[in-house]
């Protein structure tokens, strides 16, 4: 009998704790999620501004910058040089190998061709 009473008391405490956690944690998580979305939105806006500024530079500079960003931020090894790509007929196998690194690192991204 004492065991059943103890079990019942523990169950009631667990329910109260669960309700308390629902009321405190969920709104906090929701605010945190909104903050993360806002930070991401600002970051994307900054990136878009940076991309628009890049239009005034030549192809080799833009390619070099893209390769540097891919290496530094995405961990994609820099297999190509801007000088090798910005030519009339670049080496297709080298470009395919470089692009394959992206597909290998991010296999879930859908490509619309």
């Amino acid at each position: 009998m004492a065991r059943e009473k103890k079990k019942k008391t523990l169950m009631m405490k667990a329910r109260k704790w669960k309700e308390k956690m629902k009321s405190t944690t969920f709104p906090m998580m929701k605010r945190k999620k909104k903050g993360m979305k806002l930070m991401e939105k600002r970051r994307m806006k900054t990136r878009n501004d940076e991309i628009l500024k890049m239009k005034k530079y030549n192809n080799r500079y833009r390619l070099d910058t893209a390769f540097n960003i891919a290496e530094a931020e995405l961990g994609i090894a820099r297999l190509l040089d801007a000088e090798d790509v910005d030519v009339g007929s670049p080496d297709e196998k080298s470009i395919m190998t470089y692009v394959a690194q992206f597909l290998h690192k991010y296999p879930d991204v859908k490509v619309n061709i």
Side-chain angles (χ1 to χ4, degrees):
M1 191 110 163
R3 191 180 262 177
E4 286 179 25
K5 189 174 183 180
K6 208 178 215 183
K7 188 176 179 181
K8 197 173 191 179
T9 305
L10 284 173
M11 291 296 285
M12 288 180 67
K13 284 183 181 180
R15 281 191 200 116
K16 286 180 184 178
W17 181 79
K18 186 177 177 183
E19 289 301 315
K20 183 179 177 184
M21 290 306 292
K22 274 185 186 177
S23 63
T24 58
T25 307
F26 182 70
M28 228 167 36
M29 286 173 40
K30 197 172 182 180
R31 282 194 304 266
K32 195 174 190 179
K33 190 174 182 181
K34 282 183 181 178
M36 293 296 284
K37 282 184 179 180
L38 183 62
M39 284 174 41
E40 184 65 26
K41 190 175 182 180
R42 286 182 184 160
R43 187 171 148 241
M44 290 303 293
K45 186 178 184 326
T46 305
R47 283 293 169 115
N48 288 341
D49 293 343
E50 291 173 4
I51 290 169
L52 290 174
K53 289 178 186 175
M54 292 295 287
K55 285 187 175 185
K56 64 183 174 185
Y57 297 108
N58 63 21
N59 285 344
R60 288 190 182 183
Y61 181 80
R62 291 192 305 237
L63 284 166
D64 195 42
T65 304
F67 294 151
N68 288 335
I69 291 171
E71 185 173 35
E73 295 186 19
L74 302 176
I76 304 293
R78 185 180 178 141
L79 300 176
L80 302 170
D81 289 322
E83 296 83 28
D84 297 334
V85 177
D86 191 28
V87 293
S89 59
D91 183 33
E92 289 182 23
K93 287 183 182 179
S94 298
I95 293 174
M96 288 172 57
T97 304
Y98 184 71
V99 171
Q101 288 187 93
F102 285 91
L103 297 174
H104 181 70
K105 183 136 184 154
Y106 302 100
D108 296 333
V109 176
K110 293 183 180 179
V111 180
N112 295 329
I113 298 177

